[in-house]
Structure formats: structure tokens, C-alpha cells
Amino acid sequence: MAQEIVKLDREDVVIAEEIGRVGVITINRPKQLNVISDKVILLLGEKLEKLEKDDSTKLVIIKGAGKAFSAGGDLKMFYDGRKTRDSCLEATYRMYWLCYHIHTYKKPLVALVHGMSMGGGASLMTPMKFSVVTEKTVFSTPETLIGFHPDCGFSYMLSRLSGRLGEYLGLTGARLKGKEVVAAGLATHIVPSQKLVELEKCLLSLNSGDENAIESVIKEFSTDFEIHENSILQLNRMSIINECFSKDTVEEILMSFIREGRKQTLSECLKKEFRISNNILRRTISNDFYEGISAIVINKNNSPKWCPTTLEEVKDEQVNLIFKNFEQHLELQISEKNEHRWKGKYDNSPYYYHINQAMKIQKVLPSTTPGIGLIQSAL
């Protein structure tokens, strides 16, 4: 089969190729473990939309360059923007909007996952029709360790795991490796790492998006497995997890975020997460997110100083502020109708207009000018 390859500049943070009837998207920040920056989010959305609308493309593969699939969101980006209100709102909006479209993509998606797949990076793996991991894959949702919450659709995905495994993973940031990721239901197949390149070549040779044909190819390379006796997924350990993470205690405040996801639709979960994320980024009740990044990523002393310091000090009123609904026009705009599928983009949202207007005013007026703060706090 003749293979036409269209390649972008290899310096791009996202590389898109069209090989025959297969689209290949590569997150290309290997030195940064393919963390997801604002530019990565923008380009992923553009490329996935283009490939979904392209009738000649039947299958789309997503992978990461280098030794990691993706280590998650670009925490330095958030930390560097901490002093400017809503500096990362655009990236946040685009990411949640993108998550919905990945979950509901109209063509088969295959994630080839080698190395780290964490947080927002894992959100590019778990929803796929086919998510292939290797023995070197490491999955985690470690957001609570830096004062954040399981985001990018994980309140929806974790809540649907067996027993209380979702609460355990979401609250502790515990890691799953290789076959554990498949056993937990967070990936579909495991393939030996040395065979991943050969698998990709076989997928590229497919001339259709037939899901049975895709699965047949993957199964040729996949292996059977047994869970190690020390795995948290062993029955005796899962029974302990189920018991501990079903208690009605103060921690219920935290667990309810994931448990509510069991009763909510994907779009409801994403809209809720969008509100929570923005309220945390805006320091609605505390500076904990930036304190967590500072302690774990920037200074690396691993000793964040949380405020408040104990769960007993957390008030229901504070938690309610984090979950508080936005005005309807400021919510994440997701169209569940196929004919309007790719509408609701950030560029058409009130945020785009107001933030750009504020930036224009700031360029011509001193930051101390009366009214600047009002514009920034209007959203």
C-alpha cells in the first residue's frame, strides 16, 4: 500500500502525520516527559478535529516521544502564572473541552502507552477504544499530592472502577504498573515493550477503521498476565481498600467528589471539574495548589505547608465555594448534538473576549489604574 506521509516541523510540541488511512499524533516534549502545555492542548484539539472530519482517515493513533507517554499537566506553566488571575484559564477550558471530544471521538482511537501516563496525560489514554500499555507503563492520578483534584474526566472514569478502587487511586495518588493498569480497567491490552514499534507498523498497514480488525492486530502482540501477589489489586488487599474507603467520615467531603461521578454523565463531570479547577487556580479558599507545586516540583522539599493544616479545620462552607456553579454562560460549553459537536470552543466563549480585553487595557494603562482589578475579577 502506498503510504503518503505529511509531517510537521520536528520542533513542534505535537507532530501530526497521515500515513495511508491512519492519523498518527505524537506529543513531542520528550525532555519534559511530554507534559501538557497550553500549546500542546491547542494543537491536540486542532489535529483531532481535522482527522475526525477527514473522510480518508479511518484510525487515529496517539503516542508520546521518548521514554514517557505523558507525565501530566505542565505544572510549571501553572506556577509561573500564579500571580496573574486566570492566566491559565484558556488552557484549562481547552483541556476539559478536549477531554469530552476524546471520550466521544467518532473514529477508533488507539493509545500506545510506554512509560509514565499520569494525571492529565492519562486522560489521553484511558478513554480510548484501545489503550495499549507495556510492562514499563506507570499510571497515576497524583493531583491530591499537590493540593489539586483528580481532573480531566477522572471523576467520571475513577468512579466507574470496581469497588472503591477509584477512591483509593484518586485520594492517594497510588501508582499502577503495566498489567495492573489493564486489570484495573484503565487500559485494554498489554504488549511487551520491545514489540510496540512492530505493533504500530501493523496498525499503520490497516486500510480501514474496522474495530474488529484493529483488535485482532493488537491481540497478535498482546500477552496474558497474572497479577503479582504484592499488587494492591489482589483480592485480599482490595477487600481492605473497599472497607476503608467506604467509611462515612470527615474524609467523605473529599471522597464525595469521586462518588458523585458514578451518578453523573461525562459532560456533568467535566463541567464540575472545570468549576473546581478554576476555583482552585483562583485561590478561592487557599493557596494550596501553588504551595503543593512549590514543595513537590519547584523547591522539591516535599514538605508543603497546607492551609488549613488538618481536615478538622476544613469547613463545609469552604468546600461549597469550590463546587459553586458558575453563571450558565461561564460554564464549560459542551454540545452533545453531533451536528454541533465541535462548537463551544474557548475562542467563542465570554472568557476569550473579556480576558483579551483586559490584556489590551493592561498594555496601555498602569496596573495601578482604578478599574483594572474590577475587569480581572469580573469573571
Side-chain angles (χ1 to χ4, degrees):
M1 178 182 70
Q3 293 187 340
E4 179 184 356
I5 302 178
V6 180
K7 298 184 179 180
L8 299 178
D9 185 339
R10 290 291 164 176
E11 295 301 314
D12 284 343
V13 295
V14 174
I15 298 172
E17 305 170 276
E18 295 176 40
I19 305 174
R21 292 183 175 273
V22 181
V24 181
I25 296 178
T26 306
I27 306 173
N28 189 39
R29 302 186 73 194
K31 293 181 180 179
Q32 296 82 24
L33 299 178
N34 297 320
V35 295
I36 303 172
S37 65
D38 50 356
K39 187 175 181 182
V40 169
I41 297 168
L42 176 65
L43 291 175
L44 281 174
E46 290 178 350
K47 303 312 175 187
L48 284 168
E49 179 178 1
K50 177 179 180 294
L51 290 170
E52 184 182 281
K53 292 179 176 179
D54 184 353
D55 291 337
S56 65
T57 301
K58 303 300 182 183
L59 164 67
V60 178
I61 296 172
I62 296 183
K63 60 181 182 176
K67 297 181 179 181
F69 179 70
S70 174
D74 189 340
L75 296 180
K76 188 175 185 300
M77 172 186 74
F78 288 104
Y79 190 77
D80 289 347
R82 68 193 183 281
K83 295 183 179 179
T84 304
R85 180 181 170 88
D86 288 342
S87 63
C88 295
L89 190 149
E90 177 177 348
T92 305
Y93 187 103
R94 290 188 189 279
M95 186 64 191
Y96 284 113
W97 187 85
L98 174 62
C99 285
Y100 177 79
H101 289 80
I102 289 175
H103 275 265
T104 59
Y105 206 68
K106 301 304 180 184
K107 294 179 179 178
L109 284 170
V110 178
L112 300 179
V113 185
H114 184 62
M116 286 187 183
S117 180
M118 297 185 172
S123 74
L124 305 176
M125 170 195 83
T126 299
M128 306 306 191
K129 182 68 179 181
F130 304 100
S131 49
V132 181
V133 300
T134 75
E135 76 281 0
K136 296 183 179 180
T137 300
V138 178
F139 168 92
S140 176
T141 50
E143 290 83 2
T144 58
L145 304 181
I146 54 169
F148 207 56
H149 66 102
D151 63 339
C152 296
F154 272 106
S155 68
Y156 180 82
M157 292 181 280
L158 291 179
S159 66
R160 284 157 173 77
L161 298 184
S162 175
R164 301 297 179 180
L165 180 61
E167 285 93 334
Y168 172 74
L169 295 175
L171 290 175
T172 66
R175 296 185 175 192
L176 299 178
K177 298 180 181 179
K179 54 192 177 185
E180 290 180 322
V181 185
V182 180
L186 293 161
T188 60
H189 299 82
I190 184 166
V191 168
S193 55
Q194 66 269 23
K195 293 185 178 181
L196 203 60
V197 172
E198 187 179 353
L199 167 60
E200 182 180 355
K201 290 179 180 177
C202 289
L203 290 171
L204 292 175
S205 69
L206 287 177
N207 203 30
S208 78
D210 181 78
E211 292 183 358
N212 290 328
I214 296 168
E215 184 165 23
S216 178
V217 168
I218 296 174
K219 281 186 174 180
E220 289 181 18
F221 293 86
S222 63
T223 59
D224 296 328
F225 60 86
E226 293 183 2
I227 296 300
H228 192 275
E229 62 180 8
N230 292 327
S231 171
I232 62 169
L233 299 181
Q234 284 289 355
L235 184 60
N236 61 330
R237 298 193 177 198
M238 276 302 301
S239 63
I240 296 173
I241 288 174
N242 291 338
E243 174 67 17
C244 292
F245 285 81
S246 62
K247 299 296 184 182
D248 293 325
T249 63
V250 177
E251 287 80 357
E252 182 73 23
I253 295 173
L254 301 177
M255 291 186 185
S256 64
F257 169 68
I258 295 173
R259 288 182 182 163
E260 285 179 3
R262 297 181 177 184
K263 306 173 185 176
Q264 294 174 327
T265 66
L266 171 64
S267 60
E268 287 172 337
C269 284
L270 288 171
K271 289 177 181 180
K272 173 187 63 181
E273 291 177 17
F274 175 69
R275 293 192 293 268
I276 294 171
S277 292
N278 279 315
N279 284 326
I280 291 175
L281 292 172
R282 290 169 173 174
R283 300 182 174 95
T284 298
I285 63 171
S286 81
N287 189 55
D288 278 359
F289 177 51
Y290 302 108
E291 171 65 20
I293 296 177
S294 175
I296 306 301
V297 179
I298 307 299
N299 299 320
K300 299 182 180 179
N301 56 33
N302 294 320
S303 299
K305 295 177 175 58
W306 304 125
C307 180
T309 57
T310 66
L311 282 173
E312 288 75 17
E313 297 176 76
V314 178
K315 307 300 181 185
D316 287 349
E317 295 77 15
Q318 293 175 304
V319 177
N320 291 338
L321 286 175
I322 294 293
F323 282 81
K324 186 177 180 180
N325 289 355
F326 294 161
E327 293 181 31
Q328 181 57 39
H329 69 291
L330 296 177
E331 296 282 5
L332 181 68
Q333 299 300 310
I334 294 174
S335 175
E336 299 184 43
K337 296 181 179 180
N338 285 338
E339 62 269 28
H340 303 303
R341 173 167 167 70
W342 291 95
K343 292 188 177 180
K345 296 178 181 176
Y346 172 81
D347 311 70
N348 303 120
S349 73
Y351 295 111
Y352 179 82
Y353 172 77
H354 286 295
I355 290 178
N356 276 275
Q357 286 297 104
M359 291 176 64
K360 288 178 182 178
I361 294 173
Q362 279 185 311
K363 288 180 180 179
V364 297
L365 295 176
S367 59
T368 55
T369 300
I372 291 294
L374 292 175
I375 294 174
Q376 292 178 327
S377 62
L379 296 175

